[in-house]
Structures are given as C-alpha cells and as structure tokens.
Amino acid sequence: MAVYTLPELPYDYAALAPVISPEIVELHHDKHHAAYVKGANDTLEQLAEARDKERWTALNGLEKNLAFHLSGHILHSVYWHNMSGDGGGEPLAADGVGELADAIAESFGSFRAFKAQLSKAAATTQGSGWGVLAHEPLSGRLIVEQVYDHQGNVGQGSTPILVFDAWEHAFYLQYRNQKADFVEAMWQVVDWQDVARRHAAARDRTDVLLLAP
C-alpha cells in the first residue's frame, strides 16, 4: 500500500489565472507532483527490499532519491495551499493576520525587505529550486532559505510556511525564461491566511528540537 498520496488541489485549474495558467497548474499538479509521490513510494519499496536482502550497495543513491522525492512532495503540498485566486497584497492586522505581519517585521525589518529577500532567493537559486519562508525554532524567528533541487541549504529544524517554486516546470510555458517575472507575479496570489495558519502552528510546536540546557 502506498505511504504517500497526491493531495487534491484546493481549487480548480483556472483559479490562479492569469498569474498561473490553467495548463501549468494541471501539468504541475497532475504530472510533476504526482511523479514525486510515486518516486517516494517506489523508493520506500526499494529500501525495504534492500533491508530484506541486506544489499546495501545502492543505499546512498536510494537515500538521496527518497530525500529528493519526499521533499518535492512536501514542498508542493505546501505550495498549492499557499496560493489563492483571492490572495495577494501583504499580511495586515485588519485581515486577521497581524501576528504574521509582526513576525515578518521583527525578523526582516519590514515587509518590503522580506519581499525583496524572498524574491531574490527564489529567482537566484542556482539551477532548479525553491525560495522558502520558514520558521526557525531555535531563535523563534522567520528566515528565508534557498532549496536547491529539493535538498540543500536549509536549517534542519525549520518549518516551511511559504514556498515559491522556481523550477522551470512551474512557469516556463507562460513566462519562458523570465523567472524573475514569475516570482514577482507570485505575490499576487499568496494566501496570507494559509501562511498565517502555518506560522501559528510552527510557532506553537515547542518540542520540535531537544535542546541542550
């Protein structure tokens, strides 16, 4: 039985237009995200077989494959819910997301500074990757991370709460090679209600890391 399953989209394919075309949403979710789910499940089966037969020669490759596919599944699962056709703007107390707005101001100085940093992180990730806003539990602050491919430059205990997909399959059919234009357009569909819920949940988890006294 499969361990991981492809989640349903929380909206129809056309919900994010014109920022993201229906064709991209359909291909991205139904083909690319589905491939990461299948890859994670297939790799778990291969690891089980390696354990049963005590064949460890392929272990390094299998562990890397699991990290790649599972990270892809997790990041995409966050990505779809981070967006809404009614999104955009910036988090404001008047919209019920004041705690998120305060956390962004405390961690980055201002929303403008945060937006600039996350935009640059997403647009300049070498090769394929992601720009990520994450809650870092040691400091309790928000940080921006770059994820190369689906692995890489991240804090071990940080929780992603807002992710920008900068892989070409996320934008190329519509934006061609203008990745920075796609990243800028993404701000029009950010669902701050979803981001605020993720921030609150991550902040309230006090036992994520076993810290030394």
Side-chain angles (χ1 to χ4, degrees), residues 8 31 43 51 72 76-77 93 133 151 165 184 196 204 206:
E8 295 288 336
K31 301 299 183 181
T43 306
R51 288 194 302 274
H76 279 93
S77 296
L133 173 67
Q151 309 173 58
D165 191 343
E184 181 60 30
D204 292 344
T206 58

Side-chain angles (χ1 to χ4, degrees), residues 2-213:
V3 175
Y4 303 107
T5 58
L6 180 67
E8 295 288 336
L9 284 172
Y11 35 70
D12 62 39
Y13 295 137
L16 303 177
V19 173
I20 306 178
S21 70
E23 181 183 17
I24 288 179
V25 174
E26 181 176 5
L27 288 171
H28 196 168
H29 176 267
D30 294 3
K31 301 299 183 181
H32 291 281
H33 189 172
Y36 299 127
V37 173
K38 183 179 186 302
N41 286 322
D42 288 349
T43 306
L44 286 179
E45 291 181 3
Q46 293 162 12
L47 282 165
E49 182 179 0
R51 288 194 302 274
D52 290 343
K53 297 180 178 180
E54 296 188 356
R55 294 178 179 173
W56 305 115
T57 55
L59 181 63
N60 286 348
L62 289 174
E63 295 288 4
K64 186 174 182 180
N65 284 345
L66 181 61
F68 175 82
H69 290 296
L70 184 53
S71 182
H73 173 39
I74 291 170
L75 288 169
H76 279 93
S77 296
V78 176
Y79 179 69
W80 302 122
H81 286 273
N82 273 170
M83 297 183 290
S84 167
D86 297 322
E90 63 180 275
L92 299 172
D95 297 325
V97 292
E99 291 186 0
L100 173 63
D102 291 343
I104 288 173
E106 180 180 356
S107 299
F108 300 99
S110 67
F111 177 80
R112 180 179 178 182
F114 153 67
K115 180 180 177 181
Q117 184 176 343
L118 181 55
S119 294
K120 287 294 184 183
T124 62
T125 301
Q126 293 176 335
S128 299
W130 300 70
V132 176
L133 173 67
H135 176 265
E136 196 284 292
L138 286 178
S139 65
R141 296 173 65 86
L142 296 174
I143 59 174
V144 165
E145 300 174 330
Q146 286 181 317
V147 176
Y148 302 102
D149 290 329
H150 288 145
Q151 309 173 58
N153 193 19
V154 299
Q156 291 298 308
S158 61
T159 301
I161 64 172
L162 173 62
V163 299
F164 278 17
D165 191 343
W167 284 65
E168 285 191 345
H169 65 239
F171 65 87
Y172 198 84
L173 287 176
Q174 186 172 355
Y175 293 85
R176 302 305 185 200
N177 63 337
Q178 301 302 312
K179 183 190 293 187
D181 290 348
F182 169 67
V183 171
E184 181 60 30
M186 274 288 298
W187 293 101
Q188 299 175 43
V189 293
V190 173
D191 185 346
W192 292 114
Q193 299 291 331
D194 180 71
V195 180
R197 286 191 294 270
R198 294 179 187 278
H199 173 246
R203 182 197 58 208
D204 292 344
R205 292 170 60 198
T206 58
D207 59 347
V208 176
L209 297 175
L210 181 61
L211 305 179

